[in-house]
Short mmCIF file of all heavy atoms in Angstrom, two decimals:
data_model
loop_
_atom_site.label_atom_id
_atom_site.label_comp_id
_atom_site.label_asym_id
_atom_site.label_seq_id
_atom_site.Cartn_x
_atom_site.Cartn_y
_atom_site.Cartn_z
N VAL Q 1 67.89 74.98 103.10
CA VAL Q 1 68.77 73.86 103.91
C VAL Q 1 68.08 72.49 103.73
O VAL Q 1 67.09 72.19 104.27
CB VAL Q 1 68.88 74.47 105.23
CG1 VAL Q 1 69.80 73.58 106.08
CG2 VAL Q 1 69.48 75.82 105.28
N LEU Q 2 68.97 71.64 103.19
CA LEU Q 2 68.39 70.35 102.90
C LEU Q 2 69.20 69.19 103.69
O LEU Q 2 68.87 68.00 103.63
CB LEU Q 2 68.36 69.92 101.44
CG LEU Q 2 67.52 70.81 100.64
CD1 LEU Q 2 67.62 70.78 99.15
CD2 LEU Q 2 66.01 70.76 101.07
N GLY Q 3 70.35 69.70 104.29
CA GLY Q 3 71.08 68.70 104.93
C GLY Q 3 72.03 69.40 105.98
O GLY Q 3 72.21 70.74 105.68
N CYS Q 4 72.49 68.74 106.94
CA CYS Q 4 73.52 69.38 107.86
C CYS Q 4 74.36 68.34 108.58
O CYS Q 4 74.00 67.15 108.61
CB CYS Q 4 72.86 70.21 108.93
SG CYS Q 4 71.85 69.39 110.13
N MET Q 5 75.40 68.72 109.20
CA MET Q 5 76.37 67.91 109.93
C MET Q 5 77.00 68.77 111.05
O MET Q 5 77.50 69.86 110.61
CB MET Q 5 77.29 67.28 108.94
CG MET Q 5 78.52 66.40 109.61
SD MET Q 5 79.55 65.81 108.40
CE MET Q 5 80.24 67.22 107.52
N MET Q 6 77.27 68.24 112.16
CA MET Q 6 78.01 68.94 113.25
C MET Q 6 79.48 68.23 113.35
O MET Q 6 79.48 67.01 113.33
CB MET Q 6 77.27 68.86 114.58
CG MET Q 6 78.09 69.54 115.66
SD MET Q 6 77.76 68.94 117.31
CE MET Q 6 78.42 67.31 117.32
N LEU Q 7 80.44 69.15 113.37
CA LEU Q 7 81.79 68.56 113.56
C LEU Q 7 82.35 69.32 114.81
O LEU Q 7 82.28 70.55 114.90
CB LEU Q 7 82.67 69.01 112.39
CG LEU Q 7 82.16 68.31 111.08
CD1 LEU Q 7 82.98 68.93 109.91
CD2 LEU Q 7 82.24 66.80 111.07
N GLU Q 8 82.93 68.53 115.72
CA GLU Q 8 83.40 69.12 116.97
C GLU Q 8 84.87 68.60 117.11
O GLU Q 8 85.12 67.44 117.33
CB GLU Q 8 82.59 68.73 118.19
CG GLU Q 8 83.15 69.42 119.36
CD GLU Q 8 82.21 69.10 120.58
OE1 GLU Q 8 81.24 68.38 120.50
OE2 GLU Q 8 82.51 69.60 121.70
N LYS Q 9 85.84 69.52 117.36
CA LYS Q 9 87.22 69.14 117.55
C LYS Q 9 87.25 68.67 119.01
O LYS Q 9 86.85 69.35 119.92
CB LYS Q 9 88.15 70.29 117.30
CG LYS Q 9 88.30 70.74 115.87
CD LYS Q 9 89.15 72.00 115.81
CE LYS Q 9 88.94 72.67 114.47
NZ LYS Q 9 89.70 73.96 114.39
N GLN Q 10 87.75 67.46 119.22
CA GLN Q 10 87.99 66.87 120.57
C GLN Q 10 89.33 66.39 120.71
O GLN Q 10 89.57 65.22 120.37
CB GLN Q 10 86.90 65.81 120.89
CG GLN Q 10 85.52 66.27 120.93
CD GLN Q 10 84.42 65.24 121.04
OE1 GLN Q 10 84.72 64.14 121.00
NE2 GLN Q 10 83.25 65.67 121.48
N GLY Q 11 90.30 67.17 121.08
CA GLY Q 11 91.57 66.75 121.01
C GLY Q 11 92.16 66.38 119.77
O GLY Q 11 92.09 67.25 118.86
N ASN Q 12 92.59 65.09 119.73
CA ASN Q 12 93.23 64.69 118.38
C ASN Q 12 92.16 64.14 117.42
O ASN Q 12 92.63 63.50 116.48
CB ASN Q 12 94.28 63.59 118.71
CG ASN Q 12 95.46 64.14 119.43
OD1 ASN Q 12 95.56 65.24 119.63
ND2 ASN Q 12 96.23 63.26 119.96
N SER Q 13 90.85 64.25 117.75
CA SER Q 13 89.89 63.58 116.92
C SER Q 13 88.76 64.63 116.60
O SER Q 13 88.77 65.66 117.24
CB SER Q 13 89.32 62.37 117.49
OG SER Q 13 88.69 62.62 118.73
N LEU Q 14 88.02 64.22 115.63
CA LEU Q 14 86.91 65.12 115.25
C LEU Q 14 85.63 64.31 115.36
O LEU Q 14 85.51 63.27 114.85
CB LEU Q 14 87.08 65.50 113.73
CG LEU Q 14 85.97 66.45 113.14
CD1 LEU Q 14 86.18 67.79 113.78
CD2 LEU Q 14 86.18 66.47 111.62
N TYR Q 15 84.75 64.88 116.27
CA TYR Q 15 83.47 64.16 116.46
C TYR Q 15 82.48 64.64 115.51
O TYR Q 15 82.19 65.77 115.29
CB TYR Q 15 82.94 64.47 117.88
CG TYR Q 15 81.58 63.71 118.15
CD1 TYR Q 15 81.54 62.46 118.47
CD2 TYR Q 15 80.39 64.36 117.97
CE1 TYR Q 15 80.34 61.73 118.61
CE2 TYR Q 15 79.09 63.74 118.14
CZ TYR Q 15 79.28 62.33 118.60
OH TYR Q 15 77.97 61.71 118.80
N LEU Q 16 81.89 63.54 114.72
CA LEU Q 16 80.87 63.91 113.72
C LEU Q 16 79.53 63.43 114.33
O LEU Q 16 79.32 62.34 114.79
CB LEU Q 16 81.21 62.97 112.52
CG LEU Q 16 80.43 63.31 111.14
CD1 LEU Q 16 81.17 62.73 110.03
CD2 LEU Q 16 78.90 62.60 111.24
N GLY Q 17 78.61 64.37 114.25
CA GLY Q 17 77.28 64.24 114.81
C GLY Q 17 76.14 64.89 113.93
O GLY Q 17 76.51 65.81 113.04
N MET Q 18 74.97 64.53 114.27
CA MET Q 18 73.86 65.27 113.57
C MET Q 18 73.82 65.26 112.17
O MET Q 18 73.34 66.23 111.53
CB MET Q 18 73.66 66.60 114.16
CG MET Q 18 72.35 67.16 114.19
SD MET Q 18 72.09 68.72 115.17
CE MET Q 18 73.10 69.89 114.26
N LEU Q 19 74.39 64.18 111.56
CA LEU Q 19 74.40 64.09 110.11
C LEU Q 19 72.89 63.94 109.60
O LEU Q 19 72.25 62.95 110.06
CB LEU Q 19 75.23 62.96 109.50
CG LEU Q 19 75.18 62.73 108.13
CD1 LEU Q 19 75.71 63.89 107.39
CD2 LEU Q 19 76.22 61.57 107.77
N THR Q 20 72.40 64.86 108.95
CA THR Q 20 71.03 64.88 108.51
C THR Q 20 70.77 65.19 107.06
O THR Q 20 71.50 66.14 106.55
CB THR Q 20 70.24 66.02 109.38
OG1 THR Q 20 70.53 65.86 110.79
CG2 THR Q 20 68.87 65.98 109.15
N VAL Q 21 69.91 64.54 106.44
CA VAL Q 21 69.48 64.82 105.08
C VAL Q 21 67.96 64.71 105.11
O VAL Q 21 67.49 63.84 105.61
CB VAL Q 21 70.12 63.76 104.07
CG1 VAL Q 21 69.61 63.98 102.67
CG2 VAL Q 21 71.68 63.79 104.11
N SER Q 22 67.41 65.72 104.44
CA SER Q 22 65.91 65.84 104.25
C SER Q 22 65.38 64.41 103.82
O SER Q 22 66.02 63.72 102.88
CB SER Q 22 65.66 66.81 103.26
OG SER Q 22 64.15 66.66 102.82
N PRO Q 23 64.36 63.84 104.54
CA PRO Q 23 63.86 62.52 104.14
C PRO Q 23 63.50 62.44 102.72
O PRO Q 23 63.68 61.27 102.16
CB PRO Q 23 62.61 62.47 105.02
CG PRO Q 23 62.91 63.30 106.14
CD PRO Q 23 63.55 64.56 105.56
N ASP Q 24 63.15 63.47 102.01
CA ASP Q 24 62.72 63.40 100.57
C ASP Q 24 64.04 63.21 99.65
O ASP Q 24 63.91 62.88 98.61
CB ASP Q 24 62.01 64.59 100.09
CG ASP Q 24 60.56 64.78 100.88
OD1 ASP Q 24 60.01 63.54 101.02
OD2 ASP Q 24 60.15 65.83 100.96
N LEU Q 25 65.18 63.52 100.23
CA LEU Q 25 66.42 63.46 99.45
C LEU Q 25 67.34 62.38 99.91
O LEU Q 25 68.54 62.30 99.21
CB LEU Q 25 67.17 64.80 99.45
CG LEU Q 25 66.32 66.03 98.80
CD1 LEU Q 25 67.09 67.20 99.06
CD2 LEU Q 25 66.12 65.68 97.40
N GLN Q 26 67.04 61.58 100.91
CA GLN Q 26 67.89 60.53 101.23
C GLN Q 26 68.25 59.53 100.12
O GLN Q 26 67.21 59.20 99.31
CB GLN Q 26 67.37 59.83 102.42
CG GLN Q 26 67.47 60.81 103.66
CD GLN Q 26 66.76 60.20 104.93
OE1 GLN Q 26 66.59 58.98 104.98
NE2 GLN Q 26 66.69 61.18 106.05
N GLY Q 27 69.31 58.99 100.16
CA GLY Q 27 69.70 58.08 99.00
C GLY Q 27 70.19 58.69 97.85
O GLY Q 27 70.39 58.00 96.78
#
């Protein structure tokens, strides 16, 4: 596992959080 992202349905929108990429692979 080298990256992740949380998506939460909140009514009419989608909350995007915890977008993560391993520090060695960023960019």
